[in-house]
Amino acid sequence: MEYLDNLNSNQKEAVIHENGPCLVIAGAGSGKTRVLTYRIAHLIKNGIDPYSILALTFTNKAAKEMKNRIEKIVGTEARSLWMGTFHSIFARILRTEGYKIGYPPNFVIYDTIDSKNLIKSIVKELNLDPKIYKENFVYNRISNAKNRLISPLEYKNNPILQEEDTSSLRPMTSEIYKKYTERCFKSQAMDFDDLLYNTNILFAEHIDILNKYQQLFQHVLIDEFQDTNYSQYLIIKRLASVNRNIFVVGDDAQSIYAFRGAEIRNILKFEDDFDDLKTVKLEQNYRSTKNIVNAANSVIDKNKSKISKEVWTENDEGELISIKKSFSDNEEGKIVSNLIFEEKNRNQLTNSNFAVLYRTNSQSRSIEEALRRIGLKYKVFGGVSFYQRKEVKDLIAYLRFSVNQNDEQSFRRIINYPRRGIGQTSVEKIITISNKENISLWEVVTKSSTLLNSRINNLLIPFRDLIISFSNFSKNNDAFSTASHISSNSGLLKELWDDRSIEGISRYENVQELLNSIKEFIDNEENTEKKLDNFLQEISLMTDQDKGEEEEGEYISLMTIHMAKGLEFPVVFIVGVEEDLFPSQMMISSREDLEEERRLFYVAITRAMKKLYLTYSKTRYRYGMLKDCEISRFIKEISPIYLDIENFNVTKSLVKNVIKEKTKNLSPIKKLKISSLPAGDPSQIDELIEGKKVKHHIFGIGTIKKIDLNSNQKKAIVNFKNVGEKTLLLNFAKLKVIN
């Protein structure tokens, strides 16, 4: 069993665990995937039929990668494993057993768009206001109910849910849920949530089917256990209740999906359901430097709801965490792009070594613009590039058409958005007349009384008058005033504001971020022309350069922190670490929410392997206004001994905290020696030579191990007698050579 030689003692303990429930608490970078794959391989090597092993993941990619790794150890037997995502495995079971609850083997699976379209149809049939009963809101409401195993009847009879719907002016939500369920069943269709919901119904109502799969699955293994919701956990608990060979791997410190229904209590209270539980902790981090690991620990320690563990590493101490302050989000983008450029040149790194992480998608805009300006390729994950997002393109289309009424693509985009009753057939008719008469689309609109029937003409008159008013307004006002006027009076902002789902809020924020960029454009003294067409020209040049380049070769990764979970990069930037942004102002109303935000920050920190930058801005454009910002509490929660205090951006209070942290474990005599070091002018940089003894006003006496005078920031590595090795910037360290 040579594969066991690749494991540390804790990993091996988990892998060779024989029978009974086992919880593996896998700290960041501790090799959880290796443990899970080796565990399955070990079971097969010891005679367990692969067909009797159920292994559940959250992504098809993870399942495929693990199965490939297992196959390299045990051979093609691994192909018989029941391994896949929760949805794919339970769909497979429902294909076979679904007839018990009235579904044929060939039932249809609705994706999100299918589901939302059906909800839209039901809202229309019930003569409800689609602006109030937004399909996104209703879809999320139904989804949350199903994940908590609440049926339409239970939903209707639940006074709390009814009160919530009534107070949000959507009292008919329960009726929509009922009809939605009936229509899905009539269409022999299940949505993604139904795959879990109906599996629970199947097992609850048909004990013979449950017993069949309890006997089949001798071993049940779950990856990313902290991300399971109530519905998922109930299924796996039932399946494992006979053999009790349930093996779960997760990290409570990385539970960040409560908004999707994930319940951290599943991992925190796992022992309540399996009292003979064996717990193995994987605490050695193989990914990050000591400073990064310890900084992350110092943050997550502030959470009360957690499983006790101490992640550690044998890796190098590494560089201190750099904190960078900017005076605006625009400057923040420039600082990040310049630092990436410097890091690349100084350390021979490639674009793929870097990641920029942010709390919300709208923050990518200033980073993207700054990277483009200095020619660094990047890729935005978890969505399209900022200027390619639908809601951003919608507003830009309005802006473009207000400046140039011959723009056909913008016309197509805005003619019926927000909806004004001009369907695709009418649009095609306008385009046909335009081509036939060899006139512009706008001319067809302005002459609609003679070229089109009265119904279409009556619908076009308000649109025509709206665009004329926008055009006139733009001629007499700057770009920001015009864009604000158009976004409000077109109905676009209201359309987005009315959708209070997570996705709707994100889209609204993205439009606000576009308005922020326009405000920055006119506030920039370098831009002498501040009209709308000048701004449109600038961003059109940016987006044109962007086409087709992000997918080619090496790129810098830009993504939300949620999207970054499970990834790692040598150099990581976490931007916008400010109060009300990170933690989000919507996540500070309860301790549970704040602790989830702190776990999100922990996840962000632990993506970094070698170097971590935290950036914050003193001001940031929010909703078209320049707002003062405050450094996030999360930065203040990092033990200051892991921060680059020589960086001039760090506050004096943090420096004082460093002295306190550094000396708290020293004897009174040593504290006195540090605090009473003789004063004196610092030595010149050229006097600082490797091997020289030096004095530092905080860290005391030390010996210079290495001097780096070649980079833009001249540095020294000094081994201090009392506090260990530190990397210092010589322009700020004020070192004094001791003869």
Side-chain angles (χ1 to χ4, degrees):
M1 299 183 181
E2 302 82 10
Y3 58 91
L4 295 178
D5 296 336
N6 298 322
L7 304 172
N8 65 36
S9 59
N10 291 56
Q11 291 172 334
K12 185 175 180 179
E13 181 184 1
V15 167
I16 65 175
H17 170 70
E18 292 188 3
N19 292 306
C22 182
L23 169 62
V24 179
I25 302 299
S30 63
K32 73 171 181 64
T33 303
R34 171 176 286 189
V35 166
L36 196 56
T37 53
Y38 281 30
R39 168 68 177 169
I40 296 170
H42 186 73
L43 290 173
I44 297 172
K45 284 278 191 180
N46 283 271
I48 302 298
D49 185 351
Y51 192 72
S52 68
I53 299 174
L54 172 64
L56 297 168
T57 67
F58 275 85
T59 67
N60 289 308
K61 179 183 177 184
K64 183 178 179 181
E65 288 178 354
M66 281 197 281
K67 188 174 283 190
N68 289 339
R69 288 195 202 183
I70 296 166
E71 190 170 336
K72 289 179 180 178
I73 299 173
V74 303
T76 56
E77 282 186 279
R79 298 176 187 178
S80 299
L81 287 165
W82 282 71
M83 175 173 272
T85 64
F86 283 86
H87 294 95
S88 66
I89 293 296
F90 299 143
R92 179 178 170 184
I93 291 175
L94 288 167
R95 293 284 184 204
T96 304
E97 316 293 351
Y99 71 93
K100 291 275 190 177
I101 55 174
Y103 285 90
N106 63 340
F107 65 82
V108 175
I109 298 177
Y110 278 174
D111 63 18
T112 304
I113 294 175
D114 294 325
S115 298
K116 290 181 179 178
N117 285 338
L118 176 55
I119 289 170
K120 285 166 66 176
S121 299
I122 293 170
V123 168
K124 184 176 181 180
E125 291 165 14
L126 292 174
N127 294 315
L128 300 174
D129 188 345
K131 294 180 180 178
I132 295 176
Y133 290 90
K134 287 280 190 181
E135 61 268 21
N136 284 341
F137 174 88
V138 177
Y139 172 81
N140 288 328
R141 197 76 172 153
I142 292 173
S143 176
N144 289 335
K146 287 182 180 179
N147 285 330
R148 288 182 286 164
L149 301 182
I150 299 172
S151 69
L153 181 60
E154 290 168 331
Y155 189 103
K156 183 178 181 179
N157 294 331
N158 186 307
I160 296 175
L161 295 175
Q162 292 306 303
E163 173 59 29
E164 289 173 351
D165 287 339
T166 300
S167 63
S168 67
L169 304 179
R170 299 178 179 94
M172 293 291 287
T173 302
S174 61
E175 182 64 20
I176 300 171
Y177 182 14
K178 176 175 175 288
K179 288 190 174 294
Y180 173 81
T181 302
E182 293 171 348
R183 293 279 282 275
C184 283
F185 186 78
K186 183 179 179 181
S187 301
Q188 299 180 342
M190 296 187 201
D191 62 24
F192 278 20
D193 296 314
D194 284 329
L195 297 175
L196 304 175
Y197 182 86
N198 286 331
T199 300
N200 271 298
I201 291 176
L202 177 69
F203 289 162
E205 296 181 355
H206 299 276
I207 301 301
D208 57 326
I209 301 299
L210 175 60
N211 288 341
K212 173 183 174 180
Y213 288 96
Q214 286 174 332
Q215 297 301 323
L216 172 61
F217 298 132
Q218 296 180 36
H219 290 267
V220 178
L221 303 96
I222 299 98
D223 188 20
E224 302 286 8
F225 183 60
Q226 76 280 349
D227 293 336
T228 53
N229 61 32
Y230 174 71
S231 181
Q232 290 164 329
Y233 180 58
L234 191 57
I235 295 171
I236 58 182
K237 187 172 77 168
R238 280 174 167 153
L239 287 174
S241 63
V242 173
N243 292 308
R244 296 181 66 79
N245 291 325
I246 183 169
F247 186 94
V248 302
V249 181
D251 182 8
D252 59 295
Q254 298 187 65
S255 179
I256 59 174
Y257 291 115
F259 68 92
R260 293 183 186 170
E263 299 211 10
I264 191 173
R265 72 168 307 280
N266 291 348
I267 192 168
L268 295 179
K269 303 296 184 181
F270 189 51
E271 191 172 9
D272 293 353
D273 292 320
F274 296 92
D275 52 11
D276 54 339
L277 177 70
K278 176 176 182 176
T279 300
V280 179
K281 296 180 182 180
L282 307 183
E283 297 173 301
Q284 183 174 359
N285 179 295
Y286 292 93
R287 174 187 299 154
S288 307
T289 63
K290 283 188 174 72
N291 276 322
I292 292 171
V293 169
N294 293 334
N297 287 343
S298 70
V299 170
I300 205 63
D301 279 347
K302 308 297 188 297
N303 274 7
K304 296 185 185 301
S305 299
K306 64 179 185 291
I307 296 173
S308 176
K309 61 181 176 297
E310 186 66 33
V311 180
W312 58 278
T313 184
E314 290 182 345
N315 293 338
D316 294 338
E317 183 174 355
E319 295 186 55
L320 295 171
I321 295 171
S322 293
I323 300 178
K324 299 294 182 181
K325 177 178 69 176
S326 61
F327 290 96
S328 70
D329 45 356
N330 204 32
E331 185 190 17
E332 180 182 52
K334 292 177 182 177
I335 289 173
V336 170
S337 62
N338 289 337
L339 284 169
I340 291 175
F341 188 82
E342 291 174 11
E343 287 273 4
K344 281 184 66 177
N345 292 335
R346 184 168 63 246
N347 299 315
Q348 290 77 53
L349 300 176
T350 62
N351 286 341
S352 62
N353 293 140
F354 297 89
V356 182
L357 310 181
Y358 33 78
R359 181 64 181 83
T360 65
N361 276 310
S362 61
Q363 291 173 254
S364 76
R365 191 265 310 163
S366 61
I367 306 297
E368 289 185 63
E369 290 182 357
L371 292 174
R372 278 197 293 265
R373 285 193 180 101
I374 62 174
L376 291 174
K377 290 184 180 179
Y378 65 89
K379 181 176 180 180
V380 178
F381 288 82
V384 292
S385 175
F386 181 83
Y387 288 108
Q388 297 301 312
R389 292 170 184 152
K390 179 186 180 301
E391 59 277 9
V392 174
K393 288 177 71 69
D394 287 338
L395 179 51
I396 289 176
Y398 265 105
L399 303 182
R400 283 169 47 180
F401 200 70
S402 298
V403 172
N404 177 12
Q405 286 83 47
N406 292 320
D407 186 343
E408 178 177 333
Q409 294 306 309
S410 293
F411 175 85
R412 285 175 174 267
R413 195 168 192 99
I414 68 173
I415 183 62
N416 200 39
Y417 181 77
R419 292 179 181 173
R420 49 177 63 90
I422 304 173
Q424 189 59 34
T425 302
S426 299
V427 173
E428 294 301 329
K429 185 174 290 187
I430 293 170
I431 293 171
T432 299
I433 294 174
S434 170
N435 293 334
K436 182 179 177 181
E437 300 293 331
N438 196 27
I439 58 177
S440 70
L441 295 173
W442 184 244
E443 285 184 88
V444 177
V445 172
T446 56
K447 299 176 181 178
S448 59
S449 59
T450 59
L451 296 174
L452 298 164
N453 63 48
S454 59
R455 187 190 70 83
I456 300 176
N457 176 56
N458 291 336
L459 293 172
L460 284 173
I461 289 174
F463 173 74
R464 180 189 64 202
D465 294 341
L466 191 69
I467 296 302
I468 290 173
S469 72
F470 289 169
S471 178
N472 291 335
F473 192 95
S474 70
K475 294 173 183 175
N476 302 309
N477 292 275
D478 62 41
F480 177 71
S481 298
T482 303
S484 299
H485 176 81
I486 292 174
S487 62
S488 297
N489 290 280
S490 64
L492 187 148
L493 268 184
K494 184 178 185 303
E495 178 89 355
L496 296 173
W497 175 258
D498 287 343
D499 180 4
R500 304 311 294 161
S501 67
I502 292 172
E503 296 87 352
I505 292 170
S506 178
R507 286 192 285 268
Y508 182 83
E509 289 177 345
N510 286 338
V511 169
Q512 291 295 338
E513 187 63 15
L514 175 61
L515 295 175
N516 291 342
S517 71
I518 300 174
K519 187 67 163 64
E520 288 179 0
F521 171 80
I522 67 165
D523 286 349
N524 187 345
E525 295 179 356
E526 295 179 6
N527 298 323
T528 55
E529 297 295 330
K530 303 183 184 296
K531 290 296 179 68
L532 182 59
D533 53 352
N534 303 115
F535 173 78
L536 291 171
Q537 177 177 299
E538 179 171 285
I539 64 168
S540 68
L541 290 172
M542 286 185 180
T543 51
D544 283 342
Q545 293 169 358
D546 200 29
K547 290 179 181 178
E549 291 185 357
E550 292 178 5
E551 298 293 338
E552 299 174 6
E554 296 276 341
Y555 49 75
I556 298 160
S557 297
L558 274 59
M559 65 187 78
T560 64
I561 300 162
H562 284 99
M563 181 64 62
K565 187 167 174 286
L567 303 178
E568 59 184 34
F569 302 89
V571 184
V572 169
F573 291 81
I574 307 174
V575 300
V577 191
E578 302 146 21
E579 284 294 297
D580 294 337
L581 186 56
F582 198 11
S584 166
Q585 61 184 347
M586 295 185 289
M587 296 291 285
I588 56 176
S589 58
S590 69
R591 180 174 66 82
E592 291 77 15
D593 285 346
L594 181 59
E595 290 200 350
E596 171 135 340
E597 285 289 285
R598 189 176 286 114
R599 292 194 295 270
L600 189 60
F601 188 56
Y602 174 84
V603 167
I605 291 174
T606 55
R607 299 313 93 197
M609 300 167 68
K610 300 291 186 183
K611 178 66 180 175
L612 176 63
Y613 290 92
L614 306 177
T615 73
Y616 70 99
S617 178
K618 296 297 290 180
T619 62
R620 188 176 295 273
Y621 277 97
R622 306 280 311 263
Y623 307 109
M625 297 180 64
L626 193 63
K627 301 282 188 180
D628 289 333
C629 302
E630 179 186 351
I631 187 171
S632 171
R633 70 189 75 185
F634 291 157
I635 290 181
K636 297 176 182 178
E637 288 177 354
I638 298 174
S639 180
I641 60 177
Y642 308 119
L643 300 177
D644 179 6
I645 65 158
E646 301 303 332
N647 183 318
F648 66 92
N649 287 322
V650 181
T651 62
K652 291 182 179 178
S653 62
L654 285 181
V655 175
K656 292 178 181 178
N657 287 339
V658 169
I659 299 174
K660 183 179 178 181
E661 289 280 340
K662 288 292 186 183
T663 61
K664 67 180 181 181
N665 295 322
L666 299 181
S667 67
I669 294 176
K670 287 185 177 179
K671 286 183 182 180
L672 180 62
K673 285 182 178 179
I674 289 178
S675 61
S676 61
L677 287 170
D681 294 331
S683 300
Q684 297 296 317
I685 289 179
D686 57 11
E687 296 179 58
L688 303 176
I689 303 170
E690 292 178 9
K692 284 277 190 181
K693 280 193 174 183
V694 291
K695 177 193 71 178
H696 185 269
H697 64 292
I698 291 176
F699 300 136
I701 304 297
T703 303
I704 298 176
K705 289 184 61 179
K706 185 178 179 181
I707 291 284
D708 179 8
L709 302 178
N710 297 322
S711 63
N712 291 336
Q713 296 178 322
K714 299 177 175 61
K715 298 179 180 180
I717 298 176
V718 183
N719 187 17
F720 291 99
K721 183 177 180 181
N722 293 317
V723 294
E725 192 174 288
K726 297 296 163 194
T727 301
L728 306 175
L729 299 179
L730 296 180
N731 287 331
F732 304 98
K734 298 180 180 179
L735 294 174
K736 173 72 174 177
V737 174
I738 300 175
N739 295 325

